Amino acid sequence: MDVPNTGHPRRWAILGVLVISLLVVVLDNTVLNVALRTIADPEAGLGASQGQLEWAINSYTLVFAGLLFTAGILADRLGRRITLTVGLALFGLASLLSAYAGSADQLIAARALMGLGAAAVMPATLSIIANVFEPHERGRAIGVWAGAVGLAVAIGPIVGGLLLEHFWWGSVFLINVPVVIAGIVLVSVLVPESRDPKPGRIDIVGVLLSILGLTLLTYGVIEGGENGFGQVESWGSLAGAAVVLAAFIAYERRIPFPSLDVRLFTNRQFSASTGMIGLVFFAAMGMMFFSAFYLQLVRGYGPLASGALFVPFAVAQMVFAPRSAAMVKRFGPKVVGSAGLLLVAASLAGWLAIGADTPIWIVGALFFVMGVGMANVMPPATESIMASLPREKAGVGSAVSNTIRQVGGALGVAALGAVLSSVYRDGMTDATANLPAAARDVANESISGAYGVAAQAGPGANGLLQTANDSFISAMHYASLGTTLFALLGVLVAVLWLPGKRPAQAPAPTTAESLAEEQGVELVEA
């Protein structure tokens, strides 16, 4: 029996608009990955250190993650369309400020403001999907949505490479502005307003605790990677993070309107799905961080050529993500999610065999396998999260899903960046022992710094570069091992706790209005 299409009549056009809004937010971090080397250059960029580069990524991610809960609640209370519109406008303004930042610290601050805009955009897109699509179509729509995330991750380096070949580093942020303007116009024309008729109060204390806890956690990991975990700045920050996050959980358990309802995690389906997302993005974003330096420095590819190597990832996402809903329907989330995570783990393990002279097609093949894997992890996990919550709480469910994704990615960059820095620094000790103190510190800090020192080192440049490349590849292998272990942990989570194949669903109500009335959802036409 065919299930009637009772969703919003413009639902597929609305999905297209939401994909555009989503692309600009997700694309930003992957564009930045290609620009890291240029931003680190004291002449062509801002002379940013390794730690500043990590914070340029994580300042965005931390604000993004810390405010997603509040943004999801605001979207459910004030309206998803208005929240999406304001978020896009703020994101565009912050992109403009990032493009013309005069120092690494200014860039970090502007990126944090971009995270504020992105926090409003991301949960609104997924909650609007949950409201304009009926349950029998929602899995397919979320597959397209997740494919857009993967596409943005993949095309970001290509777009960034094209811009850096012809313009200054700030162009990778300036490109966001026209896309944001187009998105705002299309949202105002096509997207209907919707909200939760029974919204909760905004949890200001919980939001502040979550931001403080996540910031301390990431700062402690980055500081430990740069200066050692024995330093008080590192272990003190990590201890403070543990105390603050424990207080956050305790506080959220006892208030009636928490920003994060921790009781949601008693739902096995919800917990397993969010755990999978966090683990896979921890591994994936850490790999994206070190692969940019490998391609542009060790292999000597320009921004465009290194960005082009992400095309196989994009192709895999575009081909497999939209089909994942059908795979889940046939085999169930457990089988599809586990298989996807195994592919991700296999691609990450492949980096253990990558060296300075490995045929570059192997790198492209690893990106393709990773794209196939992630295309079959995100849609079933996201759909499982959304299916475990009532429709009127779609904004909160979306916020939790995306917060876990962002926190996982931030910690992946921080933790694996710390491993990369520590192992690299140990490998450089002997080679830089005779350099002046200032040059030695720069060369020991990162491979970008070593290349900058080598440019002025005269006859000793080749030896310094060889040691830097060898040290970086060794550090990359250790980081790769870490990413693989976290992906395999995700497999274990999926096998143990993700639901199996579901029985066929009964037909949906005959009209969108009757379903909205049943669910208590207020739909306001544009």
Side-chain angles (χ1 to χ4, degrees):
M1 178 179 178
D2 292 335
V3 179
N5 289 324
T6 56
H8 194 283
R10 297 196 301 265
R11 59 193 180 278
W12 293 106
I14 291 169
L15 180 61
V17 176
L18 298 178
V19 164
I20 292 173
S21 303
L22 182 68
L23 278 174
V24 70
V25 171
V26 180
L27 181 139
D28 181 74
N29 256 357
T30 54
V31 166
L32 180 60
N33 279 335
V34 174
L36 290 175
R37 180 190 175 189
T38 305
I39 295 173
D41 191 302
E43 296 182 3
L46 299 174
S49 68
Q50 180 88 4
Q52 288 173 322
L53 292 176
E54 291 178 29
W55 274 111
I57 295 174
N58 285 334
S59 64
Y60 172 88
T61 304
L62 284 173
V63 174
F64 192 177
L67 294 179
L68 272 170
F69 298 130
T70 304
I73 293 171
L74 283 175
D76 288 340
R77 173 190 286 268
L78 302 177
R80 284 117 188 187
R81 182 177 66 178
I82 186 62
T83 304
L84 176 58
T85 302
V86 171
L88 284 171
L90 186 57
F91 188 87
L93 175 62
S95 297
L96 193 64
L97 294 175
S98 297
Y100 292 100
S103 67
D105 290 339
Q106 288 180 19
L107 177 61
I108 292 169
R111 291 273 300 159
L113 186 60
M114 289 177 72
L116 178 59
V121 171
M122 181 68 83
T125 61
L126 193 52
S127 56
I128 289 170
I129 288 173
N131 275 275
V132 301
F133 284 91
E134 298 304 310
H136 68 276
E137 285 188 322
R138 188 171 58 199
R140 182 181 170 197
I142 288 177
V144 174
W145 180 91
V149 174
L151 178 63
V153 169
I155 67 173
I158 301 172
V159 172
L162 283 170
L163 292 170
L164 291 171
E165 290 281 343
H166 299 94
F167 305 102
W168 94 113
W169 65 266
S171 62
V172 302
F173 299 110
L174 195 61
I175 191 65
N176 293 337
V177 177
V179 180
V180 163
I181 292 172
I184 290 173
V185 172
L186 290 171
V187 166
S188 65
V189 172
L190 290 174
V191 177
E193 186 61 284
S194 64
R195 58 180 67 90
D196 182 357
K198 298 177 182 179
R201 293 197 298 267
I202 297 175
D203 173 21
I204 296 176
V205 174
V207 169
L208 293 176
L209 286 173
S210 67
I211 294 173
L212 178 60
L214 291 172
T215 302
L216 286 171
L217 178 60
T218 305
Y219 178 81
V221 173
I222 293 175
E223 186 68 21
E226 287 194 331
N227 300 311
F229 287 93
Q231 299 295 319
V232 67
E233 291 86 353
S234 178
W235 66 259
S237 296
L238 293 174
V243 171
V244 172
L245 291 175
F248 169 75
I249 293 171
Y251 180 77
E252 297 299 287
R253 286 176 62 88
R254 69 179 184 84
I255 63 172
F257 297 101
S259 61
L260 172 60
D261 186 355
V262 294
R263 289 167 294 189
L264 289 173
F265 291 95
T266 61
N267 182 316
R268 185 181 68 175
Q269 176 176 324
F270 184 89
S271 298
S273 300
T274 53
M276 283 172 54
I277 289 174
L279 289 167
V280 78
F281 269 87
F282 181 100
M285 293 307 295
M287 186 276 288
M288 296 284 185
F289 182 77
F290 67 68
S291 66
F293 291 98
Y294 168 78
L295 292 171
Q296 292 191 40
L297 292 171
V298 177
R299 299 306 294 264
Y301 289 103
L304 179 58
S306 61
L309 284 166
F310 285 84
V311 169
F313 185 97
V315 171
Q317 288 284 312
M318 288 186 292
V319 171
F320 290 95
R323 290 168 171 76
S324 64
M327 298 292 289
V328 170
K329 184 177 181 181
R330 182 175 180 182
F331 299 107
K334 183 191 295 286
V335 171
V336 176
S338 300
L341 281 161
L342 281 172
L343 288 173
V344 171
S347 68
L348 294 170
W351 281 87
L352 292 168
I354 297 296
D357 300 316
T358 301
I360 203 62
W361 68 264
I362 295 178
V363 174
L366 292 177
F367 281 132
F368 180 81
V369 173
M370 184 176 184
V372 175
M374 291 192 70
N376 287 287
V377 171
M378 289 300 296
T382 305
E383 167 61 11
S384 293
I385 289 171
M386 301 307 289
S388 66
L389 299 174
R391 178 184 286 194
E392 65 271 18
K393 298 300 181 184
V396 176
S398 172
V400 172
S401 168
N402 287 294
T403 296
I404 296 297
R405 184 172 66 83
Q406 292 299 321
V407 171
L411 293 179
V413 171
L416 296 171
V419 171
L420 201 70
S421 296
S422 179
V423 177
Y424 169 83
R425 187 167 52 246
D426 289 344
M428 291 293 291
T429 302
D430 292 339
T432 59
N434 295 324
L435 292 175
R440 182 172 62 249
D441 291 342
V442 171
N444 285 345
E445 182 186 28
S446 68
I447 188 172
S448 296
Y451 270 71
V453 170
Q456 305 175 20
N462 290 337
L464 180 61
L465 290 179
Q466 183 63 49
T467 302
N469 287 342
D470 292 343
S471 299
F472 180 84
I473 290 173
S474 178
M476 185 179 75
H477 289 164
Y478 276 94
S480 300
L481 180 61
T483 63
T484 304
L485 292 175
F486 273 88
L488 290 174
L489 183 58
V491 176
L492 182 62
V493 169
V495 169
L496 292 179
W497 294 300
L498 210 63
K501 185 178 179 180
R502 297 186 181 93
Q505 292 182 341
T510 56
T511 66
E513 290 77 12
S514 64
L515 183 59
E517 181 178 353
E518 178 184 313
Q519 297 285 350
V521 178
E522 178 186 354
L523 294 177
V524 182
E525 285 292 333

